[in-house]
Amino acid sequence: KYQNDVEIERTEISSNIIEEPVDKIIEVRKKVTNRSTRSYSATYSNGVWSYSNEEFDLLCAITAQECSSSYEGALAVITCACNRAESTKWAKYGSDPLSQYKAPGQFCYSIDNNWKKRLNGNYSSAVVQAVTDALNGKRNHNYLSFRTAGYASGEYIGGNVYF
C-alpha cells in the first residue's frame, strides 16, 4: 500500500521457488590495482599493454576526444599517457595508460564528459590504430605533458603542443 507515493505496507501474495540457489564460483579474475585504488584488467609484458575490449574502447574514446584530427595526433596523445605510465615522476597517477587517462585533472576523462559520446566505437580507424600501436610499444615523442595549441610552447602534433 502507498500513501502520498510512499510505501507504507507490503504483503507477499504468493511465492514459488523454481530452483534452489547453489553457492558456487562461476569465474575468478585477477585484477591489477593501481596506486589510486582503481582496478583494471591491464597487463604489461615485454613493452606491450593489454586491456579488455571495454577498456580499449574507453582508451580510444578518451584519445579521440583529446585529438582525433590524425593518426599522428592520436598517437601523440596515447604516447603521452604511455610515457607517464612508464615514468616514476607520474607514478602517483597509476602504472598504466588508462590509469593516467583517468587521473584527476590530467586528461579530458576527469575534466568533462565529452569523451562519453565517443564510446562504443564512435572514433576513427586512425584512432584505433594509434592506440593499438602505442599499447604495442610505438611512440612518436618523449613528452609527458601537452596543451591545446596556443596555450603552451613545445612541439606541435595534431593540434596539441607537447612539452
Side-chain angles (χ1 to χ4, degrees), residues 49-122:
W49 291 101
S50 298
Y51 287 93
S52 70
N53 289 340
E54 183 179 294
E55 292 162 342
F56 183 81
D57 182 53
L58 180 55
L59 282 161
C60 288
I62 295 168
T63 300
Q65 185 60 35
E66 294 287 4
C67 182
S68 61
S69 62
S70 65
Y71 168 82
E72 287 299 322
L75 181 60
V77 170
I78 187 68
T79 290
C80 189
C82 291
N83 290 347
R84 286 180 177 195
E86 295 163 354
S87 166
T88 56
K89 178 181 176 184
W90 292 86
K92 67 181 178 182
Y93 294 117
S95 59
D96 70 284
L98 186 54
S99 296
Q100 292 292 329
Y101 269 177
K102 295 180 91 174
Q106 298 304 306
F107 290 87
C108 67
Y109 180 86
S110 67
I111 296 170
D112 60 42
N113 289 318
N114 293 331
W115 55 271
K116 288 183 178 181
K117 67 184 175 200
R118 296 181 182 274
L119 287 170
N120 302 312
N122 292 315

